[in-house]
């Protein structure tokens, strides 16, 4: 029986599910989303693991059409290959997120949360949080179901506007050539506080 021909209930793309089932592949995807492009050598050095091992997992992600090679750079004795995401894969609407199996929500949330903390730490060390265009805010709101839905709608609208700005900017930067622009991180998160049930 060919299951691909049948109308299965898909809660998450099977290729992405397979990628997220391996922690290194999830890390590669999040790092590529975070940095814009990443190489097996970079991930190998970052995690202190052999490049041949990271290269294998990059290859699996490339064959799954989740990442694509964007450039190469000659190094002493080898060529470093750089990859970027084929499309933003960590954008889920509320319905997709709710239908997703809990273990995948946990894997994605854990990897993205760790990535955010690492980025904040690195930006703080580099002085990036003192720049004039930096914005940080933190709000606690005791909510009911109506307030949560209203806040989710605000987040959805803000994300749509950010993605439209991103697309326009990508077109401008492409005309300007490699190295143009400044990589910035925009974070939107809402979750029940640890003391939410108090």
């Amino acid at each position: 029986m060919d299951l691909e021909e049948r109308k299965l209930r898909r809660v998450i793309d099977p290729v992405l599910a397979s990628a997220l089932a391996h922690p290194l592949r999830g890390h590669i995807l999040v790092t590529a989303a975070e940095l814009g492009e990443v190489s097996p050598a970079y991930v190998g050095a970052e995690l202190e693991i052999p490049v041949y091992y990271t290269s294998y997992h990059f290859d699996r992600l490339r064959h799954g059409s989740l990442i694509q090679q964007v450039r190469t750079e000659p190094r002493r004795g080898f060529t470093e290959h750089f990859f970027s995401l084929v499309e933003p894969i960590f954008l889920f609407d509320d319905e997709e997120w709710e239908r997703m199996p809990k273990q995948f929500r946990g894997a994605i949330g854990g990897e993205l949360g760790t990535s955010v903390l690492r980025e904040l730490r690195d930006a703080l060390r580099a002085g990036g949080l003192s720049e004039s265009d930096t914005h940080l805010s933190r709000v606690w709101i005791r909510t009911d179901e109506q307030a949560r839905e209203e806040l989710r709608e605000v987040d959805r609208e803000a994300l749509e506007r950010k993605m439209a700005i991103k697309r326009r900017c990508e077109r401008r930067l492409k005309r300007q050539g490699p190295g143009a622009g400044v990589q910035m991180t925009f974070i939107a998160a809402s979750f029940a506080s640890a003391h939410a049930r108090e």
Side-chain angles (χ1 to χ4, degrees), residues 17-46:
S18 174
L20 293 174
H22 194 287
L24 179 55
R25 292 180 202 168
H27 179 82
I28 291 167
L29 292 173
V30 171
T31 304
E34 179 182 308
L35 300 179
E37 62 179 32
V38 68
S39 71
Y42 176 89
V43 172
E46 176 193 26

Side-chain angles (χ1 to χ4, degrees), residues 93-164:
D93 65 28
D94 292 339
E95 287 183 11
E96 290 170 326
W97 185 256
E98 288 172 12
R99 288 195 317 264
M100 196 179 299
K102 190 173 183 178
Q103 68 267 28
F104 289 119
R105 290 198 303 260
I108 294 167
E111 193 60 50
L112 289 175
T114 300
S115 173
V116 165
L117 293 174
R118 185 174 60 244
E119 265 197 271
L120 282 170
R121 179 202 64 205
D122 292 347
L124 183 61
R125 288 178 180 168
L129 298 183
S130 61
E131 298 294 327
S132 61
D133 57 358
T134 296
H135 170 85
L136 289 173
S137 58
R138 183 177 179 186
V139 180
W140 292 270
I141 304 173
R142 183 167 287 277
T143 64
D144 58 13
E145 185 53 44
Q146 180 179 338
R148 286 193 294 277
E149 180 51 42
E150 290 173 359
L151 290 165
R152 281 192 292 266
E153 184 58 33
V154 168
D155 287 342
R156 282 191 290 268
E157 290 171 1
L159 179 59
E160 287 172 10
R161 291 185 64 192
K162 287 174 185 175
M163 295 309 293

